[in-house]
Amino acid sequence: MKTDNRVKKTFPVLQMSCASCAISAESIVKGLNGVNNASVNFATATLSVEYQPEIITPEQIRTAVQDGGYDLLIEDDKDAAADVLEDMHIKKFNVLKKKTIFAVIFSLPVVIIGMFFMDIPYANEIMWMLSTPVIFWLGRDFFINAWKQAKHRSANMDTLVALSTSVAYLFSVFNTLFPQFWLDRGVHPHVYFEAACVIIAFILLGRLLEEKAKGNTSSSIKKLIGLQPKTVTVSENGNYTELPIEQVNIGNIIVVKPGEKVAVDGVVIEGSSYVDESMLSGEPIPVLKKEGEKVYAGTINQKGAFLFQAEKVGADTILAQIIRMVQEAQGSKAPVQKLVDKIAGIFVPIVMSIALLSLAVWFIYGGSDGITHGILALVAVLIIACPCALGLATPTAIMVGIGKGAEKGILIKDAESLELAKKVDVVVLDKTGTITEGKPVVTDIYWLNGDDNKKDVLYSLEKQSEHPLADAVTNYLAGIVSVPIWEFESITGKGVIGLVDGEKYFVGNEKFLDENGVIVDKVLLEKMENSSHSLKTMIWFSDSKKAIALIAITDEIKTTSLSAIQQLQSSGIEVYMLTGDNYATAKEIASKVGVNHFHAEVLPQDKAEFVEQLQSEGKVVAMVGDGINDSTALAQADLSIAMGKGSDIAIDVAKMTIISSDLTKISEAIKLSKQTVATIRQNLFWAFVYNLIGIPLAAGVLYPINGFLLNPMIAGAAMALSSVSVVSNSLRLKWTK
């Protein structure tokens, strides 16, 4: 995506092991010349970077990241990058699995000897022999990464693990080789080989479970990607050829057999069938597709067969756009994450200070066992204070929330929107295409004195208009030969003007005719008054002097609009309806769908001003629309929601898109936001509480009271469980209704 000379790209980040790694990698990239902004998401392991390509290249960014001990995956081909990442994820998971199994096998006898058989001959030497491969072979990555961090005067979770295990291991080796040093001072030379190797085993197990859980959080993306068929059957001059999906071009005629997936977006040109569009709309009922109907990539054909012509292929299909939007949204940061990032950035140095302070206090005030207890406390503090739970708390919940939204037909552009939706207290609805179907049809044209000899002028004027109601008129008058229009002018929110044979003609609302001094006959006025209570929109057609015709257009109310508005109101949200339509029609529709507040004859700029006015009253406003005329109001709103069957510009501007255009999805989106934010708060609460309780316990704060001192092994287990519990809590969102 380009903005002026800036380029925004997302790259997978490799070799990150904790939340502090993400902070470190982010600060490296942010400090580079030519980088405007950078954000690293630990849960998705991605870097979103905005840079100036004439100053810096992705290769230079990668080099800087590599210098910091991490790596970037730079692939122009997104599919190739996804395949490489998937392979790496599987490889990493398998390596972690092997290391964890071996660490447990080696650690188990060390724990048994250390706890129950300390008096057997050569007990210390056996434990030393078994724990050495755990520390220096299975746990070597902790030391390598800690050294890389140290070279850049930085520290992360690996630093804590490397320091704690090496201190426990070296202390135990010293006590094994030189026990007399302590015996001469009246202290028993304890060894803590079991603590050192069990810590490594627990942390490897924690990372294995975390890797598996993080894989589950992105299952929504995998489901969406799985909807894309690999090959298609193309029809050419009656011959059928099977092609890879990558070779399909716009204009190709594609055959869809019963049970097959639609490969790309297009229009049905022959045959008909019911198609399951639940991946787009979240609705399980199949939709009938016949000639002229649009079909979308990833939808599943039922029993019939049809041919369709490809209109959008590759990255342009709706499915590809959904996948891209969900990936970007899952990688974005919620506002609360910025605070968490700041805490994680200073967390490791603070923990190291507390650990050293614990050692010093024990050494000074701990008596004969002071040094032993001090080293144990130092090891336990370093181990228990893992910032991973803190780093995973927000992004895992966001990933699951956005993925669940996509499955339900609610596309969420970024984490900020998901976090904000729960605060919405006013929803402003556009009428046409939002509350109504957005498929206006002409029911009647009342010609003055029954004289319709100017219908070719009406048809020609409406053919040049971009207004959705103009399509209804041209469809009604289809087959009429158009006449040349001169000096055509479209006045937004009012109507159109054009010259035919030197005479000026107008098509628009009653106010537009008044402004131009047009006289309206009493007979036509009566027709308008009689139709004003039947949900019909009235459009006038006139020459420069008098009204020639009155056109009655209706737009059916969506079946779900009434229940959707009731749901919003019952949850304490105020609902407003805005429309450019006349007051009588607006009032009738508002009463039918239960909207208490509405404004009629509203121009596009008035919509944005109305949203701004509500905001000035302290309201958090969600604007829902589907057309070009809604785009300014959508941009102004706190939360902008586009109907998926609306215009591209409305969808581009909006922060959320309801793919099916079903208004009940707005309540679902707000509920999803509430559930996601509640999950984030639960995660952060447990991550903070865990550290607030765990660190003082590890330092030995209870020892003077009841003699309790936390074993470093238990600290390692608790640390692993904290990360797993946070990710598991986020995964609960998947099954919450």
Side-chain angles (χ1 to χ4, degrees), residues 136-443:
F136 296 111
W137 171 42
L138 302 169
R140 69 183 184 277
D141 287 342
F142 297 116
F143 294 91
I144 292 165
N145 293 336
W147 173 245
K148 283 179 181 174
Q149 290 296 314
K151 281 198 296 184
H152 288 85
R153 295 179 185 175
S154 184
N156 65 1
M157 181 56 206
D158 292 324
T159 312
L160 300 182
V161 176
L163 277 173
S164 56
T165 51
S166 59
V167 167
Y169 178 82
L170 292 170
F171 182 63
S172 302
V173 169
F174 180 86
N175 290 359
T176 301
L177 294 174
F178 309 106
Q180 203 60 43
F181 177 86
W182 297 107
L183 292 169
D184 291 344
R185 288 160 177 77
V187 178
H188 184 75
H190 289 286
V191 293
Y192 297 98
F193 289 117
E194 79 278 9
C197 59
V198 169
I199 285 162
I200 297 282
F202 270 133
I203 290 169
L204 287 173
L205 177 63
R207 290 207 176 157
L208 181 73
L209 294 172
E210 192 182 290
E211 197 69 26
K212 189 173 174 60
K214 274 161 68 177
N216 289 339
T217 59
S218 58
S219 61
S220 302
I221 282 287
K222 287 173 187 166
K223 273 188 203 169
L224 289 170
I225 292 168
L227 292 168
Q228 296 172 305
K230 301 290 181 200
T231 59
V232 296
T233 306
V234 174
S235 171
E236 199 171 349
N237 302 322
N239 299 317
Y240 291 171
T241 314
E242 196 165 286
L243 289 178
I245 184 83
E246 298 81 27
Q247 291 179 24
V248 176
N249 295 314
I250 293 168
N252 282 156
I253 307 300
I254 296 166
V255 184
V256 184
K257 296 169 191 167
E260 284 188 342
K261 287 174 184 168
V262 177
V264 294
D265 295 358
V267 175
V268 177
I269 57 168
E270 190 181 308
S272 66
S273 179
Y274 281 90
V275 174
D276 177 359
E277 291 190 337
S278 57
M279 51 73 63
L280 282 177
S281 62
E283 303 301 325
I285 301 161
V287 181
L288 177 62
K289 298 291 179 181
K290 50 187 190 294
E291 277 185 49
E293 298 271 350
K294 287 187 181 291
V295 287
Y296 302 99
T299 56
I300 303 164
N301 184 28
Q302 303 288 288
K303 293 178 182 174
F306 59 88
L307 298 177
F308 77 93
Q309 187 168 33
E311 284 191 333
K312 289 181 179 178
V313 299
D316 296 326
T317 66
I318 292 274
L319 179 62
Q321 287 169 19
I322 290 170
I323 291 168
R324 193 161 58 245
M325 196 187 281
V326 173
Q327 282 173 327
E328 284 174 4
Q330 286 187 334
S332 65
K333 286 189 181 182
V336 69
Q337 182 64 23
K338 288 165 189 167
L339 172 66
V340 175
D341 284 350
K342 280 182 185 174
I343 294 165
I346 57 168
F347 194 82
V348 174
I350 288 171
V351 167
M352 289 168 72
S353 304
I354 293 170
L356 289 169
L357 183 65
S358 304
L359 175 64
V361 170
W362 273 107
F363 183 72
I364 297 163
Y365 301 108
S368 59
D369 285 339
I371 187 68
T372 307
H373 287 158
I375 286 171
L376 272 182
L378 177 133
V379 171
V381 168
L382 290 173
I383 284 300
I384 206 163
C386 168
C388 291
L390 210 56
L392 290 166
T394 304
T396 50
I398 292 290
M399 283 177 76
V400 176
I402 284 169
K404 188 177 178 181
E407 284 176 16
K408 295 283 182 187
I410 304 162
L411 273 189
I412 301 161
K413 249 183 197 172
D414 55 35
E416 192 172 351
S417 309
L418 185 61
E419 195 179 323
L420 182 69
K422 74 174 283 291
K423 297 176 183 172
V424 167
D425 45 27
V426 174
V427 171
V428 178
L429 303 170
D430 171 52
K431 176 182 76 74
T432 308
T434 302
I435 292 175
T436 65
E437 290 288 356
K439 294 176 185 170
V441 288
V442 172
T443 57

Side-chain angles (χ1 to χ4, degrees), residues 281-283 404-405 408-410 412 418 567-568 656 658 662-675:
S281 62
E283 303 301 325
K404 188 177 178 181
K408 295 283 182 187
I410 304 162
I412 301 161
L418 185 61
Q567 282 173 19
L568 290 168
M656 279 190 192
I658 308 296
D662 178 356
L663 276 181
T664 57
K665 297 285 180 187
I666 296 169
S667 282
E668 283 187 36
I670 291 168
K671 280 177 192 163
L672 179 64
S673 168
K674 286 176 179 173
Q675 288 167 355

Side-chain angles (χ1 to χ4, degrees), residues 74-148:
I74 298 171
E75 286 272 1
D76 286 332
D77 183 346
K78 286 283 167 78
D79 291 335
D83 291 341
V84 171
L85 266 183
E86 188 65 22
D87 289 344
M88 289 174 77
H89 175 75
I90 293 165
K91 217 173 273 179
K92 184 180 177 183
F93 183 79
N94 290 335
V95 169
L96 261 175
K97 196 174 176 180
K98 279 180 192 168
K99 283 185 175 180
T100 306
I101 291 167
F102 277 114
V104 171
I105 290 168
F106 279 112
S107 300
L108 210 56
V110 178
V111 173
I112 292 166
I113 294 168
M115 289 189 163
F116 307 108
F117 302 104
M118 272 305 293
D119 297 327
I120 64 166
Y122 302 107
N124 285 5
E125 284 78 4
I126 294 167
M127 288 191 289
W128 181 10
M129 183 181 73
L130 289 169
S131 61
T132 300
V134 176
I135 305 292
F136 296 111
W137 171 42
L138 302 169
R140 69 183 184 277
D141 287 342
F142 297 116
F143 294 91
I144 292 165
N145 293 336
W147 173 245
K148 283 179 181 174

Side-chain angles (χ1 to χ4, degrees), residues 615-669:
Q615 288 169 326
S616 68
E617 294 167 14
K619 310 277 189 187
V620 178
V621 182
M623 172 72 199
V624 188
D626 77 321
I628 294 168
N629 62 338
D630 300 317
S631 55
T632 49
L634 286 167
Q636 175 64 42
D638 298 292
L639 179 68
S640 43
I641 304 172
M643 294 287 110
K645 290 174 182 170
S647 70
D648 287 346
I649 189 165
I651 292 166
D652 281 348
V653 169
K655 290 295 178 75
M656 279 190 192
T657 302
I658 308 296
I659 298 170
S660 65
S661 295
D662 178 356
L663 276 181
T664 57
K665 297 285 180 187
I666 296 169
S667 282
E668 283 187 36

Side-chain angles (χ1 to χ4, degrees), residues 447 451-459 501 505 541 548:
W447 295 95
D451 181 3
D452 67 354
N453 66 5
K454 295 292 181 192
K455 61 186 176 187
D456 54 350
V457 177
L458 173 61
Y459 175 77
D501 298 329
Y505 291 91
F541 170 46
I548 299 169

